[in-house]
Amino acid sequence: MAVIKKATIRDVAAKAGVALGTVSRVLNDHPSVTPQARRAVREAIEALGYERDAVAGSLRNARTRMVACAIRDFDIPAFASYVKAAEAVFREAGYTLLLASTSNEKDVELSLLRSFAQRRVEGVMMTMSDEADVELAQGIASASMPIVLIDREMMTNVDRVMADHEDGADQATSHLLALGHRRIGMIVGDPAAYPSRSRIAGYRRTHDRHGVQVEERLIRNHVLSNEVAFRETTTLLSGDNRPTALFVAAVDMLPGTLRAIRAAQMVPGRDIGIVAGSDSDLAELGSPPISALSWDRGEMGRHAAEMLIERIRDKKPRPARCVRLPVALIVRDSAGRSNADQALK
Amino acid sequence: MAVIKKATIRDVAAKAGVALGTVSRVLNDHPSVTPQARRAVREAIEALGYERDAVAGSLRNARTRMVACAIRDFDIPAFASYVKAAEAVFREAGYTLLLASTSNEKDVELSLLRSFAQRRVEGVMMTMSDEADVELAQGIASASMPIVLIDREMMTNVDRVMADHEDGADQATSHLLALGHRRIGMIVGDPAAYPSRSRIAGYRRTHDRHGVQVEERLIRNHVLSNEVAFRETTTLLSGDNRPTALFVAAVDMLPGTLRAIRAAQMVPGRDIGIVAGSDSDLAELGSPPISALSWDRGEMGRHAAEMLIERIRDKKPRPARCVRLPVALIVRDSAGRSNADQALK
DNA sequence: ATTAGTCAATGAACCGGTTCCAAATTATCT
DNA sequence: AGATAATTTGGAACCGGTTCATTGACTAAT
């Protein structure tokens, strides 16, 4: 924590015996500087320990070289993976990342959007709690910087990166139906936003295709924390006519579900079939290993970052783009098997 | 993405019929403004949709209200937990968080430190790859903003927040020794930095106390990825005279270790005792549940954030502080048991 | 030799806030 | 009422870069 006050571009100019404009040109690699002037400036910078002040530099021109990311909860490993991959791309391109959690709250989302604008952030990568909300749509539309939405689809005038969760839900549901399950419990997040909404759609679509009636009671939504996952799973398991399998379609809600299964003295895969909606170490290495839907999270973060950088670079208005990544079902050994009379094998 | 050019403080002043200094005073809640002037300014701000420009505001005074966090790899859940808790504290206090991963590379750490300084970040919370490195120490000492180190102890002139990993290692080792294990394999990170260094120290200390000779071959260090964890565990398990238990003392390296155990056709807890150095869903919910060391990660992030904010607020030089959080061993069912002739029960 | 053209360098103006001194206004005290 | 003190207000200067019109030097073309 030294307290020397820093040298300015004028100090450098004086030391090098050139005008301050020349120093600026050297700093920005402008071509029209003679080698000797360039060298003199370089030496003066070295001698004075000069460091460019990014705040001052950003005042005149619009470029702050900062981008922001506002995500629901970034200690959810899946989200952390997006952000990590994105940050790497941003840093490579010379951008610094601002990060905030929104806790999926609309007010936080709006206030962050405002705060980012005040800081002249050049682009934003974010999730949105409610895709149908007018104020949020308005907030995004009136933002002065480009925005890329993560795992959202409705706002079609904004760039989006998403995984194909409806197809994933279809795969998971088909898998369970094929094993004979007819009552499949679903643990799912907030249907106001794409991932959960489309997972529910996929679940229904697949039931319809196989001519199986959906039992509404089995769809437990608004599960956004493991405490709620525990409660909802317990509810599902405690009634009579309990499901023979569970599709844990909310991201990172497997722990709460497994806790509830354990608390009910049941063994996953034997007493109840289970498919996780997002892959994790726990799914891979549990006993039994748990079948899970998987997509390339790094790819998702990288795509988002690249789209955003591209938008920032050429600001001509172009139609919004949408990248949809494939989801694959990794079959492990947890889906169980149910025959017509509902008894597990 | 609207393209209206924004109103400035001068526009507001003109509209409200006051001087620009008065507008600034209203914005900053200075007391000496008459209620009517304040109201006129408020109305003008409303009418023009004025938004304060944080970049411009930070130019004259030093306050950018930004803090930065540079952490090894923030998709490691434990680290993400620190950052999330810290971010909440920072946001509450009006600070925006800049985030970057260092990949534990010295060059990245140094260059980030420089970049943060250029952006006039007011404080930094970070990990450091090598506590003994002179350049890094120099970089920190000469930084113009306060720094809080996460899980580091050697740089005693800097604020630090850490968990008591030596005591944790002692608990884990004692537990395994008490169960009869005499050859305890250790999977541990980079001994150049505190957590791993002190875990190794704890491991040795406990062995000494119990009069058990440490077998150097069993300490596998520099494990910073699950691929390496897999390899090192495989090495440990394949030699003859294999350990009867493993202490997975590197954070988040349990998955790789379990993969190796599984690949060796062994069952944790039955064929080999295991204690994890950091708790996780996988440890809690695996079969068998795996005993693990645990500490309050949220508390750690919060402490770091609070220390940093305090430093920023009163800049008088005070001696560096160090918060050391307790580590507890959560005993589950994975430690196994070994008797004198090395056969597992 | 003169003119046109190219390239470097200069430094004032600018970005949009904050700060602070001096001036104006209002309140308080004899 | 007049003097003095306290409070508001005005606006120039400032923060430290970037930009750009202008000048100066040098080269190529006529």
Side-chain angles (χ1 to χ4, degrees):
Chain A
M1 282 208 52
V3 273
I4 9 84
K5 72 147 164 312
K6 293 157 295 176
T8 75
I9 199 174
R10 282 160 233 265
D11 300 330
V12 174
K15 178 103 183 175
V18 299
L20 81 179
T22 306
V23 179
S24 178
R25 257 173 278 125
V26 172
L27 290 174
N28 295 292
D29 287 321
H30 265 269
S32 60
V33 182
T34 51
Q36 56 265 38
R38 193 180 303 276
R39 201 163 48 75
V41 170
R42 289 262 159 75
E43 279 166 9
I45 286 174
E46 187 69 29
L48 295 171
Y50 167 81
E51 294 251 21
R52 181 174 171 284
D53 184 319
V55 175
S58 303
L59 184 53
R60 177 66 202 258
N61 63 11
R63 332 232 46 220
T64 55
R65 296 216 155 267
M66 296 194 300
V67 292
C69 173
I71 209 154
R72 196 176 85 202
D73 262 312
F74 67 72
D75 62 344
I76 292 176
F79 293 165
S81 302
Y82 300 157
V83 179
K84 186 193 172 186
E87 191 266 339
V89 174
F90 287 135
R91 185 142 45 85
E92 182 64 30
Y95 289 88
T96 298
L97 181 68
L98 268 56
L99 185 78
S101 283
T102 65
S103 312
N104 217 42
E105 285 170 33
K106 174 180 156 181
D107 290 348
V108 178
E109 289 163 351
L110 286 171
S111 96
L112 282 173
L113 222 38
R114 229 171 314 136
S115 139
F116 292 153
Q118 289 195 356
R119 296 203 121 88
R120 291 217 209 147
V121 155
E122 294 187 51
V124 175
M125 172 179 153
M126 73 186 301
T127 58
M128 278 263 112
S129 53
D130 187 343
E131 292 186 272
D133 188 277
V134 182
E135 277 185 88
L136 286 173
Q138 165 65 24
I140 288 189
S142 65
S144 51
M145 67 295 227
I147 293 177
V148 172
L149 291 177
I150 307 289
D151 250 345
R152 296 296 180 270
E153 75 165 359
M154 271 172 78
M155 297 171 159
T156 49
N157 54 336
V158 185
D159 288 339
R160 288 146 295 149
V161 178
M162 62 184 82
D164 194 342
H165 296 297
E166 178 161 347
D167 180 60
D170 187 343
Q171 291 182 53
T173 311
S174 296
H175 180 59
L176 288 167
L177 286 173
L179 288 168
H181 294 289
R182 286 299 173 268
R183 286 200 314 288
I184 302 169
M186 184 175 199
I187 299 291
V188 68
D190 187 344
Y194 165 77
S196 293
R197 178 162 38 78
S198 65
R199 283 186 190 117
I200 294 173
Y203 172 93
R204 289 188 194 282
R205 174 157 63 91
T206 310
H207 276 76
D208 288 354
R209 202 173 58 233
H210 290 260
V212 179
Q213 177 94 30
V214 169
E215 217 172 298
E216 294 300 331
R217 195 187 65 89
L218 296 180
I219 303 179
R220 317 302 296 189
N221 54 26
H222 288 101
V223 178
L224 291 172
S225 75
N226 275 299
E227 289 70 39
V228 178
F230 179 90
R231 276 212 309 277
E232 293 292 350
T233 306
T234 303
T235 303
L236 279 177
L237 296 182
S238 62
D240 39 55
N241 230 6
R242 60 164 67 149
T244 62
L246 290 178
F247 174 27
V248 188
V251 92
D252 203 45
M253 292 301 126
L254 184 60
T257 304
L258 288 183
R259 274 180 209 120
I261 291 175
R262 177 176 292 184
Q265 315 262 359
M266 297 173 79
V267 174
R270 192 192 69 187
D271 304 325
I272 187 155
I274 189 162
V275 172
S278 67
D279 200 14
S280 61
D281 291 330
L282 176 57
E284 180 197 343
L285 296 164
S287 286
I290 288 165
S291 302
L293 295 170
S294 169
W295 61 95
D296 193 329
R297 292 164 184 169
E299 201 58 29
M300 204 152 150
R302 252 169 272 133
H303 260 112
E306 279 160 11
M307 280 169 85
L308 198 51
I309 290 172
E310 212 173 297
R311 276 281 174 206
I312 293 171
R313 293 229 167 110
D314 65 83
K315 42 246 315 169
K316 273 158 288 182
R318 290 181 200 285
R321 290 189 307 166
C322 170
V323 172
R324 193 183 301 254
L325 296 171
V327 171
L329 174 67
I330 301 177
V331 176
R332 294 196 176 106
D333 198 21
S334 62
R337 174 171 289 282
S338 177
N339 47 33
D341 57 62
Q342 322 278 353
L344 287 164
K345 185 176 98 168
Chain B
M1 278 209 54
V3 272
I4 10 82
K5 74 151 163 309
K6 293 158 296 177
T8 75
I9 199 173
R10 282 160 232 267
D11 300 329
V12 174
K15 178 105 183 173
V18 298
L20 82 178
T22 306
V23 178
S24 178
R25 261 171 251 131
V26 171
L27 290 173
N28 294 291
D29 286 321
H30 267 268
S32 61
V33 182
T34 52
Q36 56 266 38
R38 193 179 302 275
R39 202 163 47 75
V41 171
R42 289 261 158 75
E43 280 166 9
I45 286 175
E46 188 68 28
L48 295 171
Y50 167 82
E51 294 249 21
R52 180 175 171 285
D53 183 319
V55 175
S58 303
L59 185 53
R60 178 66 201 259
N61 64 11
R63 331 232 48 223
T64 55
R65 296 218 155 267
M66 298 195 298
V67 293
C69 175
I71 209 154
R72 196 176 85 202
D73 262 312
F74 104 59
D75 63 343
I76 293 176
F79 292 165
S81 301
Y82 300 157
V83 179
K84 187 193 172 186
E87 191 266 340
V89 174
F90 286 135
R91 186 143 44 86
E92 182 63 30
Y95 289 89
T96 297
L97 181 69
L98 269 57
L99 185 80
S101 285
T102 65
S103 312
N104 216 42
E105 285 170 32
K106 174 180 157 181
D107 290 347
V108 177
E109 289 164 350
L110 285 171
S111 95
L112 282 173
L113 222 38
R114 228 171 315 135
S115 140
F116 292 152
Q118 289 194 357
R119 288 193 183 288
R120 292 217 210 147
V121 154
E122 295 188 51
V124 175
M125 173 178 153
M126 73 186 300
T127 58
M128 277 263 111
S129 54
D130 187 343
E131 292 186 272
D133 188 276
V134 182
E135 277 185 89
L136 286 174
Q138 165 66 24
I140 287 190
S142 65
S144 52
M145 66 295 226
I147 293 177
V148 172
L149 292 177
I150 307 290
D151 250 344
R152 297 296 180 270
E153 72 167 356
M154 271 173 80
M155 296 169 160
T156 49
N157 53 336
V158 185
D159 287 338
R160 287 147 294 149
V161 178
M162 62 183 83
D164 193 342
H165 296 297
E166 179 162 347
D167 179 60
D170 186 342
Q171 291 181 54
T173 312
S174 295
H175 180 62
L176 289 167
L177 286 173
L179 288 167
H181 294 289
R182 286 299 174 268
R183 285 199 317 287
I184 303 169
M186 185 177 199
I187 300 291
V188 67
D190 188 344
Y194 164 78
S196 293
R197 180 161 36 76
S198 65
R199 283 186 190 116
I200 294 173
Y203 172 94
R204 288 187 195 282
R205 174 158 62 91
T206 310
H207 276 76
D208 288 354
R209 201 173 59 232
H210 290 259
V212 179
Q213 178 93 31
V214 170
E215 218 173 297
E216 295 300 329
R217 194 188 66 87
L218 296 180
I219 302 179
R220 318 302 297 189
N221 54 27
H222 288 100
V223 178
L224 290 172
S225 76
N226 274 300
E227 289 70 38
V228 177
F230 179 92
R231 276 211 308 278
E232 294 292 350
T233 305
T234 302
T235 304
L236 279 177
L237 296 181
S238 61
D240 40 54
N241 230 6
R242 60 163 70 148
T244 62
L246 289 178
F247 173 27
V248 188
V251 92
D252 203 45
M253 292 301 125
L254 185 60
T257 304
L258 288 182
R259 274 180 209 118
I261 291 174
R262 175 176 292 183
Q265 315 262 0
M266 297 172 80
V267 174
R270 190 191 69 187
D271 304 325
I272 186 155
I274 189 161
V275 172
S278 67
D279 201 13
S280 61
D281 291 330
L282 176 58
E284 180 197 343
L285 296 163
S287 288
I290 288 164
S291 303
L293 295 170
S294 169
W295 61 95
D296 192 330
R297 291 164 185 167
E299 201 58 28
M300 204 151 150
R302 253 169 271 135
H303 261 112
E306 279 160 11
M307 280 169 86
L308 198 51
I309 290 172
E310 213 174 298
R311 276 282 173 206
I312 294 171
R313 294 228 167 110
D314 65 81
K315 42 247 314 170
K316 273 158 288 179
R318 291 183 199 283
R321 290 190 306 167
C322 170
V323 171
R324 193 184 301 255
L325 295 171
V327 171
L329 174 66
I330 301 176
V331 176
R332 294 195 177 105
D333 199 23
S334 63
R337 174 170 289 280
S338 177
N339 45 33
D341 57 61
Q342 324 278 354
L344 285 167
K345 186 176 96 166

